[in-house]
Short mmCIF file of all heavy atoms in Angstrom, two decimals:
data_model
loop_
_atom_site.label_atom_id
_atom_site.label_comp_id
_atom_site.label_asym_id
_atom_site.label_seq_id
_atom_site.Cartn_x
_atom_site.Cartn_y
_atom_site.Cartn_z
N HIS B 272 26.28 20.49 80.16
CA HIS B 272 25.39 19.67 79.33
C HIS B 272 24.49 20.57 78.49
O HIS B 272 23.98 21.59 78.98
CB HIS B 272 24.54 18.77 80.23
CG HIS B 272 23.88 17.66 79.49
ND1 HIS B 272 22.78 17.84 78.72
CD2 HIS B 272 24.21 16.33 79.39
CE1 HIS B 272 22.42 16.66 78.18
NE2 HIS B 272 23.29 15.73 78.59
N PRO B 273 24.34 20.24 77.22
CA PRO B 273 23.48 21.10 76.37
C PRO B 273 22.09 21.31 76.94
O PRO B 273 21.50 22.38 76.79
CB PRO B 273 23.42 20.33 75.04
CG PRO B 273 24.60 19.43 75.05
CD PRO B 273 24.91 19.11 76.48
N CYS B 312 21.97 8.72 73.38
CA CYS B 312 21.70 9.80 74.31
C CYS B 312 20.24 10.21 74.17
O CYS B 312 19.77 10.50 73.08
CB CYS B 312 22.60 11.00 74.00
SG CYS B 312 22.17 12.44 75.00
N PHE B 314 18.78 12.81 74.87
CA PHE B 314 18.53 14.21 74.57
C PHE B 314 18.77 14.51 73.09
O PHE B 314 18.52 15.61 72.61
CB PHE B 314 19.42 15.10 75.44
CG PHE B 314 19.13 16.56 75.34
CD1 PHE B 314 17.85 17.05 75.54
CD2 PHE B 314 20.14 17.47 75.01
CE1 PHE B 314 17.59 18.41 75.43
CE2 PHE B 314 19.87 18.83 74.89
CZ PHE B 314 18.59 19.30 75.12
N ARG B 315 19.24 13.48 72.35
CA ARG B 315 19.74 13.78 71.00
C ARG B 315 18.65 14.32 70.06
O ARG B 315 18.97 15.08 69.15
CB ARG B 315 20.40 12.56 70.40
CG ARG B 315 19.45 11.47 69.97
CD ARG B 315 20.20 10.30 69.38
NE ARG B 315 19.33 9.13 69.30
CZ ARG B 315 18.44 8.94 68.33
NH1 ARG B 315 18.32 9.80 67.36
NH2 ARG B 315 17.68 7.87 68.33
N CYS B 318 18.89 17.96 70.83
CA CYS B 318 20.19 18.55 71.10
C CYS B 318 20.75 19.22 69.85
O CYS B 318 20.80 18.61 68.77
CB CYS B 318 21.16 17.48 71.58
SG CYS B 318 22.80 18.14 71.95
N LEU B 320 23.76 19.79 69.29
CA LEU B 320 25.10 19.30 68.98
C LEU B 320 25.12 17.83 68.58
O LEU B 320 26.17 17.23 68.40
CB LEU B 320 26.00 19.46 70.22
CG LEU B 320 26.06 20.83 70.88
CD1 LEU B 320 26.92 20.77 72.13
CD2 LEU B 320 26.58 21.86 69.91
N ALA B 321 23.96 17.22 68.47
CA ALA B 321 23.90 15.77 68.31
C ALA B 321 24.63 15.27 67.06
O ALA B 321 24.60 15.93 66.02
CB ALA B 321 22.45 15.31 68.26
N CYS B 325 26.09 10.10 69.17
CA CYS B 325 25.06 10.27 70.20
C CYS B 325 23.93 9.29 70.01
O CYS B 325 23.33 8.83 70.98
CB CYS B 325 24.52 11.70 70.16
SG CYS B 325 25.80 12.94 70.31
N PRO B 330 25.81 8.25 76.56
CA PRO B 330 26.92 8.82 77.34
C PRO B 330 26.77 8.48 78.82
O PRO B 330 25.66 8.41 79.32
CB PRO B 330 26.79 10.32 77.10
CG PRO B 330 25.36 10.53 76.79
CD PRO B 330 24.88 9.27 76.11
N CYS B 343 27.47 13.58 78.72
CA CYS B 343 27.40 14.04 77.34
C CYS B 343 28.73 13.70 76.67
O CYS B 343 29.79 13.90 77.27
CB CYS B 343 27.16 15.55 77.28
SG CYS B 343 27.35 16.23 75.61
N HIS B 344 28.68 13.17 75.46
CA HIS B 344 29.90 12.79 74.76
C HIS B 344 30.78 14.00 74.49
O HIS B 344 31.99 13.89 74.37
CB HIS B 344 29.56 12.13 73.43
CG HIS B 344 28.89 10.80 73.58
ND1 HIS B 344 29.44 9.79 74.33
CD2 HIS B 344 27.72 10.31 73.11
CE1 HIS B 344 28.65 8.72 74.31
NE2 HIS B 344 27.58 9.03 73.56
N TYR B 345 30.17 15.15 74.34
CA TYR B 345 30.95 16.31 73.87
C TYR B 345 31.16 17.37 74.96
O TYR B 345 31.60 18.46 74.65
CB TYR B 345 30.29 16.93 72.64
CG TYR B 345 30.25 15.95 71.50
CD1 TYR B 345 29.10 15.25 71.19
CD2 TYR B 345 31.42 15.68 70.79
CE1 TYR B 345 29.08 14.31 70.18
CE2 TYR B 345 31.42 14.74 69.76
CZ TYR B 345 30.25 14.06 69.46
OH TYR B 345 30.26 13.13 68.47
S1 LIG C 771 25.62 13.20 73.99
FE1 LIG C 771 25.26 14.15 72.06
S2 LIG C 771 23.06 14.38 71.98
FE2 LIG C 771 23.54 13.94 74.05
S3 LIG C 771 23.74 15.90 74.94
FE3 LIG C 771 25.75 15.38 74.34
S4 LIG C 771 25.95 16.20 72.34
FE4 LIG C 771 23.79 16.25 72.80
#
Side-chain angles (χ1 to χ4, degrees):
Chain B
H272 196 282
C312 173
F314 187 54
R315 73 180 164 81
C318 180
L320 309 176
C325 305
C343 170
H344 293 306
Y345 298 101

